[in-house]
Amino acid sequence: MIQIEKLSKEFVQDGRHMVALDGIDLEVPHGEVCVLLGPSGCGKTTTLKIINRLVTPSGGRVLVDGQDASTFDAIELRRKIGYVIQQVGLFAHMTVEENIGIVPRLLGWPVERRRQRALELLAMVGLDPGHYAGRYPRELSGGQAQRIGVARALAADPPILLMDEPFGALDPISREALQDEFLAMQLRLKKTIIFVSHDIDEALKMADRIAIFKLGRIVRHGTPDALLADASDPFIESFIGRDRALKRLRRRRCAEVLEPCSRSFPRSAPRLTPHDDLRTALSIMVEGNFDALPCCNADGSPVGMVRLAEIRNLLGGSPPLEAVS
C-alpha cells in the first residue's frame, strides 16, 4: 500500500544546514499498522507530512498503491488519506456532526448521506450519536474531542490513515480506552495506518510493525516481537528498556496458555478473559498471591485456567516481584 524509497529531507535553519531525513526506506503492507517510534526531532512527523504532500522531499519518493504520490493532485490525495493529529483541530463554529462531515461535503456527498455517516461513526468511536452530534467542540472533553478527530479522519472511508501522536495529550485511562477502541475498529476496518509515537508501550500495543528512528534514519524495522527479542543494538536496548520480557507478555493472550480447569476457585478470585494479555494476568496473580486464576467468557462461563508457573516459564524464570507489581 505504501512504499518509501530513499526518502530525504534537508533544510536550512538559522543559517545552518539540517538533515531531517537521511535516505529512509520503508514498506507498509495493506491493512497493517506501522508505528514510527523514536525521540523528538528524529524525522517521524516529517515522514507523515511528506506522505500527505504537506512537505516536499529533497530526494526519494513515496508510492501509494504503486503510484508515485507526487503525480497525484495534492488536494485529491489528502482527501483520500485520513489524518489525525494530537491537537485534533476541530472547527469551533461547527457541530460535531458538521466536523465529521467536512471531507464528505467537499466530495459532494448529499446532506442525508453525510448525516448518516456521522451518526454511524459516532457510535463506532463509542459516543452516543443522539447526545453528541449537535454539540460543539467547546462542550467536549479532551478524550471526546480526540474520538471525534478519529471519526472525522474515517468519514470518507479512506484506505490510509496517518496518525501523529493522536492519544499523546490524554490522561492514561482515557488513552488506554481509546487505544483499545481503535484496535477493535482496526480489526473490522483493516486500514493501512502509519502511526507516530514516542511511547514504546503504545507502539508495542498498536503496531503490526515498528520502525525505530534515530537522527533521520531508520535504525531498526520489524515486528514488535522481533524487536523485543533483539538486544544487539545499545540504542534499541535503551529505548525499549530492560523489561523487554514483560513487554512481550503484553502481546500474548490468556487464550494461548489456557489449561483445563482442574480445580474450583473461590467466588472472590479475579476472573480473566481469553483476550486479557499475560502481562495483566501476571500482575493480578503477583499482587493477589494467586498461583492460578480461572478464565471465563463474557457470559461468565469458564473456559479454562491460567497458571502463574506457565507465564513465568515464558519469561524464562521467576521475575522480581517488584517488576510486575
Side-chain angles (χ1 to χ4, degrees), residues 219-236:
V219 295
R220 188 74 85 249
H221 174 225
T223 66
D225 269 348
L227 292 174
L228 286 170
D230 180 9
S232 62
D233 187 301
F235 175 75
I236 305 298

Side-chain angles (χ1 to χ4, degrees), residues 13-171:
Q13 184 177 40
D14 299 327
R16 297 172 56 199
H17 178 257
M18 310 288 288
V19 177
L21 292 174
D22 188 9
I24 67 168
D25 294 294
L26 182 66
E27 183 172 325
V28 184
H30 174 79
E32 290 197 1
V33 178
C34 179
V35 173
L36 311 186
L37 182 67
S40 297
C42 64
K44 307 183 302 292
T45 295
T46 300
T47 302
L48 282 199
K49 290 182 176 180
I50 290 176
I51 294 171
N52 211 25
R53 298 280 302 278
L54 296 172
V55 169
T56 301
S58 303
R61 62 177 185 166
V62 175
L63 302 176
V64 178
D65 268 347
Q67 183 176 346
D68 192 326
S70 66
T71 65
F72 288 93
D73 175 80
I75 301 299
E76 290 301 315
L77 176 67
R78 290 174 200 145
R79 289 176 182 173
K80 295 177 181 177
I81 297 177
Y83 205 176
V84 186
I85 59 175
Q86 182 174 323
Q87 296 81 10
V88 186
L90 300 179
F91 293 101
H93 64 288
M94 292 184 178
T95 66
V96 164
E97 179 184 324
E98 290 168 337
N99 266 284
I100 294 174
I102 287 173
V103 172
R105 179 167 60 83
L106 293 172
L107 294 174
W109 290 23
V111 173
E112 186 56 29
R113 184 183 176 194
R114 297 201 306 265
R115 174 173 174 74
Q116 290 303 316
R117 180 61 172 161
L119 299 182
E120 172 191 344
L121 287 168
L122 281 171
M124 187 180 294
V125 297
L127 296 174
D128 179 2
H131 189 66
Y132 288 98
R135 288 194 173 193
Y136 287 87
R138 65 179 178 274
E139 301 174 290
L140 304 173
S141 69
Q144 290 163 352
Q146 200 65 63
R147 290 166 189 261
I148 303 304
V150 172
R152 183 174 63 181
L154 292 168
D157 199 23
I160 296 170
L161 284 182
L162 304 179
M163 307 181 74
D164 194 354
E165 303 221 33
F167 313 135
L170 302 180
D171 64 88

Side-chain angles (χ1 to χ4, degrees), residues 159-197:
I160 296 170
L161 284 182
L162 304 179
M163 307 181 74
D164 194 354
E165 303 221 33
F167 313 135
L170 302 180
D171 64 88
I173 294 175
S174 298
R175 183 175 190 172
E176 185 162 359
L178 194 48
Q179 288 170 348
D180 290 341
E181 290 191 22
F182 186 81
L183 287 173
M185 282 194 297
Q186 174 63 0
L187 283 175
R188 301 194 303 272
L189 301 177
K190 293 297 183 185
K191 301 294 183 183
T192 303
I193 300 171
I194 299 184
F195 186 119
V196 164
S197 180

